Amino acid sequence: MIALDYAFCLTVGQAICPQKDINDFCLALGHAFTTQFPDARCQLIIRDEQQDEWLQLADIKPKHFQLFTPMAPACNRDIDLLARLSTLKNTSANDDLSYQLIPLKIRGGSYGALILTTPFSFPADPHACEMLSLLLSGALDSHLQQQAFLLERTQHQKTEEKRIQEVSSQKGLLEQLHILHKISLRLWHSHSLDNMLHTAVYECIHALDFDRMAIFLINTHTGLMRGTYGTDIHGTVTNEQWYCTAIYEHYHAKTTLDKKQHITINEDVPLFHDNKEVGTGWNATISLWDGDEPIGWIACDNLITGTPLKSYHCELLKLLGVTMSQHLIQRHAQDQLKSLNQSLEQRVADRTAQLEEVNRRLNQISREDSLTKIPNRRMLDEKLEEEWRRAMRYQTPLTILIVDIDHFKQYNDMYGHALGDKCLAQVAEALSHVERRAGATLARFGGEEFVFLLPGITKAESKTVAERALKAVSSLQIPHGASPIAPYVTISAGGKTCIPDKPNNQQQLFIDADVALYEAKSSGKNQAFVL
């Protein structure tokens, strides 16, 4: 029978867990669904919270697989379908098609959904759907985070490569210019952008062949420039960060930048300070660039000493501009790299914590029966293997006691499956208090059957446990109008006690306990039989 149940959840889990990237994840997921549901269509839709829109990640049909990289906006029809399914509690049928919505949630919030479309209806266990939602949410979120991490790491590598190239280029320039060598070294050792700008102005006016210097930085998005450090009419370095104005107000700087020139030098022109003419001489405007984008400019002149313009000034100032540009770019790259590293480290730490929590929850869910909240068959098998080895090593008795609710099918037929599930939960709760000795385990074996694993007790003690179990369930007084043996729900129990003599023979213990249960059932039910 085609159904969305726990068995299918396990199949999906086995298919998607080993996958290494999101493409393989979607392929494995689609194969699992189309194998279980012929002619089915699976759509993975992700919510983009920043853009407030739905994006389609994958569209999977038999013999057709499409992964959207990057994710594409979902069409209005799919968005309307998603809204309708959310209103109708995840299932819907329309136009001869059946729909099942599996929400994707992480950290308590919804971030996507899987829509399963089939040409036929099928039963879907709500608990299985919840488990499937958890499996898909954790795995898909992990792949999405991994994809984002890899993208950021690639950007990080590009930034690092760019920085290395800039450093290499700068070293070549420093080898060609001895005058700027010591200045450049000091700029390298600056501990901040502010310190670097102050050092540049101070060192240049004392080591290079000009009197005054000022550095301005440009914001191309706003069209504004701001001052950093400069010199007054006496050659003293001053803080000019208060200065901010539009680029177009500075004719020489704007002309140099508009023409993409590295330097403009004017001789015998008025020299200014605080927008006032303070003398005449030569001035130079050196543009600072990051590729094709202007990042600032340097102004310098000979106001104080009147040192005449020399033949090497043009080349010297060009190299000064290149050196200063490279230092600004390098400082920006370092700050960007530091911020990126901190962000990546935090993401890795957060993701590691999330994965550990998901693994813990999955481990708990895989060993617990979702209805009765007691161990499931998987955990019973693990405990039986462990106790069997221990009993064989120390030659101590081991008992399996199988408990079955009498006439449970008739109970379901009369009262419905909702009350049937409630009855199972009540019986499990009562049985969980029957035996509290160390090592004793109660598990749901399947359907209306429960199993006690009782290490270290004799046959007589096992019989006592079985009688207590019968009494515990009878005392619940759950009405059972369809039972021919009692007006309330009863159980039958069959057990087998043995001392293991060889490994891997647990199945025989189950067979013998089942024979004992059959004997109890054949003798009229509502009783226990222990071999």
Side-chain angles (χ1 to χ4, degrees):
M1 177 182 179
I2 297 176
L4 202 162
D5 52 18
Y6 282 105
F8 176 65
C9 288
L10 292 176
T11 299
V12 171
Q14 293 171 353
I16 65 176
C17 284
Q19 307 310 321
K20 296 182 179 180
D21 57 41
I22 199 166
N23 184 74
D24 292 345
F25 167 88
C26 292
L27 280 172
L29 179 64
H31 182 265
F33 269 95
T34 54
T35 299
Q36 176 75 354
F37 301 94
D39 299 323
R41 179 188 182 188
C42 297
Q43 295 173 269
L44 277 173
I45 300 179
I46 305 299
R47 181 71 174 177
D48 186 344
E49 295 293 342
Q50 294 181 346
Q51 301 296 328
D52 192 24
E53 64 177 345
W54 288 98
L55 302 175
Q56 184 152 313
L57 173 60
D59 190 356
I60 308 164
K61 303 174 185 176
K63 299 182 180 179
H64 175 77
F65 169 81
Q66 186 173 9
L67 179 68
F68 297 89
T69 305
M71 289 186 279
C75 66
N76 292 334
R77 183 180 64 82
D78 291 337
I79 296 174
D80 293 340
L81 174 60
L82 183 62
R84 188 169 76 251
L85 291 176
S86 299
T87 304
L88 297 176
K89 297 183 178 180
N90 303 344
T91 60
S92 177
N94 188 26
D95 300 329
D96 297 327
L97 295 175
S98 179
Y99 302 95
Q100 179 69 41
L101 174 67
I102 305 295
L104 303 177
K105 300 179 179 180
I106 197 73
R107 297 177 291 280
S110 174
Y111 76 95
L114 182 144
I115 302 177
L116 175 63
T117 306
T118 60
F120 52 86
S121 60
F122 57 89
D125 186 332
H127 298 293
C129 289
E130 290 181 8
M131 181 176 178
L132 183 60
S133 174
L134 184 62
L135 282 169
L136 295 180
S137 298
L140 180 56
D141 186 65
S142 175
H143 286 299
L144 290 175
Q145 292 287 351
Q146 181 189 34
Q147 189 179 54
F149 172 79
L150 292 176
L151 179 60
E152 290 186 3
R153 187 172 67 178
T154 300
Q155 293 173 345
H156 161 77
Q157 291 172 343
K158 290 181 179 179
T159 302
E160 178 66 13
E161 291 171 358
K162 180 180 178 181
R163 189 187 71 84
I164 293 173
Q165 292 174 355
E166 290 163 353
V167 170
S168 176
S169 175
Q170 189 177 45
K171 286 181 178 179
L173 292 174
L174 293 175
E175 292 175 355
Q176 300 176 43
L177 190 62
H178 298 290
I179 299 175
L180 288 177
H181 179 65
K182 292 183 179 181
I183 296 175
S184 183
L185 289 178
R186 294 205 175 191
L187 296 181
W188 270 112
H189 295 294
S190 299
H191 55 77
S192 66
L193 176 62
D194 184 82
N195 177 253
M196 184 186 75
L197 293 168
H198 181 275
T199 300
V201 174
Y202 181 86
E203 294 293 336
C204 286
I205 63 172
H206 285 85
L208 300 181
D209 201 7
F210 50 81
D211 299 336
R212 295 196 308 162
M213 174 178 170
I215 302 176
F216 301 88
L217 298 181
I218 297 172
N219 186 328
T220 56
H221 299 291
T222 62
L224 296 176
M225 70 174 190
R226 67 176 180 87
T228 60
Y229 288 93
T231 47
D232 61 17
I233 58 176
H234 304 294
T236 303
V237 178
T238 59
N239 188 328
E240 298 179 348
Q241 294 181 13
W242 54 267
Y243 184 77
C244 183
T245 186
I247 298 175
Y248 69 83
E249 294 184 13
H250 290 260
Y251 173 77
H252 293 300
K254 185 176 184 304
T255 301
T256 302
L257 295 172
D258 288 345
K259 294 181 178 180
K260 295 187 180 297
Q261 294 175 326
H262 290 287
I263 184 171
T264 300
I265 298 178
N266 299 286
E267 297 187 74
D268 297 323
V269 294
L271 303 179
F272 294 86
H273 184 76
D274 289 340
N275 295 323
K276 295 180 181 178
E277 185 174 343
V278 292
T280 58
W282 62 262
N283 68 15
T285 301
I286 306 106
S287 57
L288 306 176
W289 299 87
D290 181 1
D292 292 332
E293 182 177 355
I295 57 177
W297 58 283
I298 299 173
C300 54
D301 61 37
N302 66 339
L303 174 68
I304 301 173
T305 62
T307 302
L309 194 67
K310 298 179 181 179
S311 59
Y312 58 77
H313 264 119
C314 183
E315 189 63 28
L316 173 66
L317 295 175
K318 281 184 181 180
L319 291 174
L320 170 63
V322 172
T323 301
M324 200 66 224
S325 295
Q326 293 299 316
H327 278 292
L328 287 171
I329 295 169
Q330 181 267 341
R331 174 61 59 178
H332 177 71
Q334 279 188 341
D335 293 343
Q336 186 181 42
L337 183 60
K338 181 178 179 181
S339 176
L340 179 60
N341 281 333
Q342 292 174 342
S343 175
L344 287 175
E345 289 172 1
Q346 186 60 46
R347 283 176 175 268
V348 169
D350 292 345
R351 189 60 198 145
T352 300
Q354 292 164 10
L355 288 175
E356 289 175 353
E357 175 62 17
V358 169
N359 287 333
R360 185 192 66 78
R361 292 175 60 192
L362 286 175
N363 185 60
Q364 178 183 356
I365 291 172
S366 67
R367 288 168 170 76
E368 180 182 88
D369 179 63
S370 61
L371 175 62
T372 61
K373 305 304 179 185
I374 63 174
N376 59 16
R377 184 168 181 176
R378 177 181 177 181
M379 185 170 179
L380 175 66
D381 290 341
E382 293 176 358
K383 290 289 290 183
L384 178 58
E385 176 71 24
E386 178 184 339
E387 295 296 342
W388 184 272
R389 291 196 303 267
R390 183 181 291 111
M392 188 171 67
R393 184 184 309 119
Y394 297 107
Q395 287 297 284
T396 55
L398 183 64
T399 299
I400 284 290
L401 186 64
I402 303 177
V403 175
D404 184 80
I405 301 177
D406 298 326
H407 300 290
F408 189 68
K409 181 180 183 302
Q410 289 83 347
Y411 185 94
N412 271 335
D413 292 342
M414 172 171 283
Y415 298 103
H417 288 283
L419 284 180
D421 289 346
K422 182 179 179 181
C423 174
L424 286 170
Q426 289 177 292
V427 170
E429 174 66 18
L431 293 178
S432 66
H433 297 289
V434 168
E435 182 55 45
R436 292 290 193 178
R437 272 180 280 200
T441 301
L442 171 68
R444 186 180 178 191
F445 196 63
E448 65 272 20
E449 283 190 337
F450 300 86
V451 172
F452 282 98
L453 174 62
L454 305 170
I457 68 173
T458 64
K459 176 180 177 181
E461 290 172 324
S462 301
K463 178 70 173 178
T464 301
V465 173
E467 293 295 340
R468 289 207 306 268
L470 266 64
K471 184 178 179 180
V473 174
S474 296
S475 65
L476 294 174
Q477 295 289 299
I478 302 172
H480 192 343
S483 173
I485 60 174
Y488 46 82
V489 171
T490 61
I491 61 172
S492 297
K496 169 66 177 179
T497 301
C498 74
I499 297 178
D501 57 353
K502 56 182 179 180
N504 303 321
N505 199 31
Q506 300 95 315
Q507 188 62 34
Q508 186 59 47
L509 184 60
F510 264 108
I511 293 172
D512 293 342
D514 198 51
V515 170
L517 176 62
Y518 179 76
E519 184 66 25
K521 290 281 191 181
S522 300
S523 299
K525 300 183 174 64
N526 193 21
Q527 56 184 284
F529 189 81
V530 179
L531 295 174

